[in-house]
Each structure stands twice: as structure tokens, then as C-alpha cells.
Amino acid sequence: MKRTHKLFFSKGFTIIELLVTIIVIAILASITIVGFGKWRESALQKAVQSDLQMAATAMESAKNFSAGYPGSIPASFKGSSDVAVTYVQGDINSYCIEGTAPASPSIRYYIDTSQGKKPTAKVGTCTGGVDVWTANAGAGDGSWHSVTYGNNMFVAVATSGTNRVMTSPDGINWTARNAAQANGWSSVTYGNGLFVAVSYDGTNRVMTSPDGINWTARNAAAATNWNSVTYANGLFVAVAISTSTNQVMTSPDGINWTARNAVVKYGWDSVTYGNGLFVAVTIGLGTSQVMTSPDGINWTAQSTPVSAYWTSVTYANGKFVAVAQASTTAVMTSPDGINWTAHTAGGNQGNWFSVAGGNDVFTAVGYGPNRIMTSKDDIATWTVRTPPEANYWESVTFGNGRFVAVSSNGTNRVMTSTAQ
């Protein structure tokens, strides 16, 4: 009789069936583990954000009972056991706190009130906002006098140096460029698809560039000391710091310029545009240190609350703000360019050269004991910040989510600060 051999598993599962079952179980287990991990991650993120908001509430409550924000998170704040909230930096006017989940180091959120907005948890760590500035080398040996932002590019010009133009896509990494002429380039702006710079000396006292890299010399309307240029409402407008006959010139294209008369023969140091008006300020002492124009051609003198060496004016966040040198009352503000209010500068003193605004924050730079000051929301209150280097900071602008300032001296002649 023929005998047939049967495997032990003939009445159960085959080896292949068992392997398939094990693989399916492993897949289901991994899905369960991944799903739990994602749920756990999401729960921790929400816990960190929630604890940060509670800590911010405690900070606001503490501020209401003292002269400003405390220098640490109040003891009244009780956080979750899975979350760590840390006070990173700040002063009586602002603070930055961070929240982390020790069980998941990749989870990091922060609240930075110096960024001028309602305290809201954001992904990342305290970047400093307008509190902390970082030094950058810049490019070349230029005595940098002005910086602007346009067409996704920062452009700075210098009054002296081998390369008197430099450009940067982010305000941090800079490339040296050749100016059209070796003039003392004092100001640069962007408008109508063109960068335009003006100079206080040289044969051709205007140069233009479509990209900030290649520059062409242009004839100014007069051979005077052009110190500031702006663009708005289809017109480039420049003002001169000398007391010559024509202290204003205008151009629709940055190439062809026409001389105009200022309302008073002062040294007009800075010009800007906002609220339907061109507004210029002067370093010449007197009662009418502001002039305004709806068209850049016809100007009207305006009174100032104090007489000071007004060096810079800007318009942002629905306000005009001007700063001055060598004065305790070194700030004045206006909603319309006509009616001005004086304010005390940060640190009660300073030689302020430039002011810019962005994202509800104003920043001024200069030299002396106080070289950076900022103001948010309440423009009557200014706070001194610490610069990365004690340079003569000549100009500041805002673009691409950060403030960028340039200097006429020092090892690192650029500094940047984030304001989101």
C-alpha cells in the first residue's frame, strides 16, 4: 500500500498564510503607533501654545500693577507638566517668551511683543524682533549713507569708498557694485521700476538702475548738494541740504529733472511721502522746519513744536515720524504732515540720523550713547536697543520682514533686525 506523508500544518495554516498574517499585524501595529505619535505631537503643540498664551496673560496682568512688564514669568502662571515656558528677553516695554515640549524637542513656539502685534504664539524661537540686532559685514569699504528696499532687493549707496553701491536679497549677504560715478551718493530710493540715487557732488548728481546692479549717470536739475530722494504718486522728488536757490527737483522718470523752489532756504535734509503729501524736514533752525506739498512742486511751510536739527522723516502705519540730532526732544510725529507733536527720544538724548517704519514698529538709528531706539503702537514711547557695533549708523529701512541699517564706519557696516 502506498503511504502518503502529510505536513504537520496540513490541518492548520500554511507557512505563507502565517507570514502574511504576521505582516498584516505588523502593518496595523505601525499604523497605530504612527497615529498615536501624530496625535501625541498635535496634543503637545496645542498644550505649548495654550501655556504660552496663559503666560502672556500673566505678563499682561503683572504689567497692569507695575511700571511695565516684569523681568520673568510671574509666579501666578501655572503651566502643564508636559510643557516648559521660558522667559528669554525683554524690558519694561516688551518681552519674548518661549514654549517647548521636553518630550518632543522639535516643538518650539514663542511670543514676542516687541514685534508690535497682539501676543500670539508663533512657530520657532525668539529671534529678537526689534530688540536684538545682528552685525553683517556688508560688501566693500564704502562709507554707507543710505539704504532702501525695492524689487525684492536691498540697495545701499556710499559717499566714499572703492565700491559705492552694494546689493542684497535679504539684507544679510551683500555684493559690491560699481556706481555710475565716484560721487558722494547720499540717498537712494525705488519707484516706477527704477532705483534712483542722488549725490551732493560730482558732474552728474543722479544715477539710475533697473536692478540695483547696473547704473547710469544722469544730469540733476542743479549742481547743488542733493541729500534725499523719494518716490510716490508718479513722481521722484529730491531735496538739497545746501541753501542754494533751487533746493527741490522733481522727475517723472528719474532721468529728466526740473528744479523747484523750496518754501524757505534751509538745508533740507530728508523728504518722504504719505497721506497725499510730500513732507520734508530741515536741519536749519527756525520756526518753519517742515514743508509740505501735494505735488512736489508747490510747497507750504509748516510749524514745528520745537526747533531742532531734524535729520530724517518717514511715513508708515498712518503716521509721519521725524527724528533729530543733538536734542532731548528728538522726535516729532504727525497724522497729516501739518500738525506735529514733540516727544522725548529713547534714553532722553541722541544724535538720530534716520527713521523707518514697518509692521507697526518704528526704528531710528544714529550715533552717540544711544544708537538704536524703537517704538510700537504708542509712538510717544521710545526704547533704546543695543547695537551689535558702536558705529555711526547713517540709514535704516524696512523690507522683506526686517529692518536693515547701514553705517559709515566700523568693521561690520550692516546690521539687521527681524520684525514680523
Side-chain angles (χ1 to χ4, degrees):
M1 181 178 71
K2 184 178 180 181
R3 182 174 294 177
T4 302
H5 296 279
K6 292 185 179 180
L7 294 173
F8 176 77
F9 297 109
S10 62
K11 294 182 179 180
F13 295 107
T14 67
I15 293 176
I16 293 176
E17 288 172 333
L18 282 175
L19 288 174
V20 170
T21 301
I22 292 170
I23 291 171
V24 170
I25 292 173
I27 292 173
L28 292 174
S30 64
I31 291 173
T32 301
I33 293 171
V34 170
F36 177 79
K38 289 184 177 180
W39 173 84
R40 175 65 171 167
E41 188 87 358
S42 177
L44 285 174
Q45 288 177 351
K46 291 178 181 178
V48 170
Q49 294 178 63
S50 176
D51 278 21
L52 268 179
Q53 294 296 159
M54 289 191 294
T57 299
M59 294 290 287
E60 296 294 333
S61 296
K63 181 184 180 183
N64 292 334
F65 292 95
S66 61
Y69 289 116
S72 62
I73 298 174
S76 60
F77 165 72
K78 304 297 181 182
S80 307
S81 59
D82 294 334
V83 175
V85 177
T86 306
Y87 180 95
V88 178
Q89 62 195 26
D91 52 34
I92 62 173
N93 298 306
S94 64
Y95 64 85
C96 188
I97 55 177
E98 288 181 358
T100 60
S104 183
S106 63
I107 297 177
R108 302 187 73 89
Y109 286 85
Y110 73 100
I111 290 178
D112 189 350
T113 62
S114 73
Q115 294 177 351
K117 296 183 179 297
K118 181 181 178 180
T120 303
K122 303 176 184 178
V123 177
T125 59
C126 293
T127 57
V130 293
D131 289 333
V132 178
W133 292 72
T134 302
N136 303 106
D141 58 351
S143 178
W144 305 108
H145 198 267
S146 178
V147 62
T148 193
Y149 181 80
N151 197 29
N152 300 315
M153 182 79 70
F154 289 95
V155 174
V157 295
T159 55
S160 64
T162 305
N163 298 101
R164 304 192 184 193
V165 177
M166 64 177 176
T167 63
S168 172
D170 55 12
I172 299 170
N173 303 289
W174 293 82
T175 302
R177 311 293 183 182
N178 292 319
Q181 291 183 345
N183 294 359
W185 299 104
S186 54
S187 181
V188 62
T189 193
Y190 180 82
N192 196 30
L194 203 66
F195 289 98
V196 174
V198 295
S199 168
Y200 59 72
D201 63 6
T203 304
N204 301 105
R205 303 194 182 196
V206 176
M207 65 176 177
T208 63
S209 172
D211 55 12
I213 300 170
N214 303 290
W215 293 82
T216 303
R218 309 292 185 183
N219 291 319
T224 190
N225 306 124
W226 301 107
N227 199 63
S228 180
V229 62
T230 193
Y231 177 85
N233 204 26
L235 195 69
F236 289 96
V237 175
V239 295
I241 201 169
S242 64
T243 56
S244 59
T245 302
N246 300 112
Q247 294 175 284
V248 179
M249 65 176 176
T250 63
S251 172
D253 55 13
I255 300 170
N256 303 289
W257 294 82
T258 303
R260 311 293 183 182
N261 292 319
V263 68
V264 181
K265 289 186 178 181
Y266 286 154
W268 297 99
D269 211 48
S270 178
V271 63
T272 193
Y273 181 88
N275 196 33
L277 282 180
F278 288 97
V279 174
V281 296
T282 178
I283 58 173
L285 296 178
T287 56
S288 301
Q289 292 187 284
V290 173
M291 65 176 179
T292 60
S293 173
D295 55 12
I297 300 170
N298 302 291
W299 294 82
T300 302
Q302 309 293 348
S303 298
T304 54
V306 294
S307 182
Y309 300 106
W310 300 106
T311 55
S312 179
V313 63
T314 193
Y315 182 84
N317 310 328
K319 312 173 188 70
F320 289 96
V321 176
V323 294
Q325 293 184 58
S327 175
T328 300
T329 309
V331 179
M332 65 177 177
T333 61
S334 172
D336 55 13
I338 299 170
N339 302 289
W340 294 82
T341 302
H343 304 286
T344 301
N348 297 323
Q349 60 180 319
N351 290 292
W352 305 107
F353 284 159
S354 180
V355 62
N359 279 16
D360 301 328
V361 176
F362 285 94
T363 295
V365 298
Y367 77 96
N370 304 311
R371 297 170 194 256
I372 307 173
M373 65 176 177
T374 60
S375 178
K376 67 181 183 67
D377 298 333
D378 177 14
I379 52 176
T381 303
W382 292 80
T383 303
V384 171
R385 308 298 181 185
T386 302
E389 294 193 14
N391 298 351
Y392 278 44
W393 297 103
E394 302 278 354
S395 179
V396 63
T397 192
F398 181 85
N400 196 27
R402 60 165 43 103
F403 288 97
V404 175
V406 294
S407 169
S408 59
N409 70 335
T411 304
N412 296 300
R413 302 190 182 191
V414 177
M415 63 178 176
T416 59
S417 172
T418 301
Q420 301 171 345

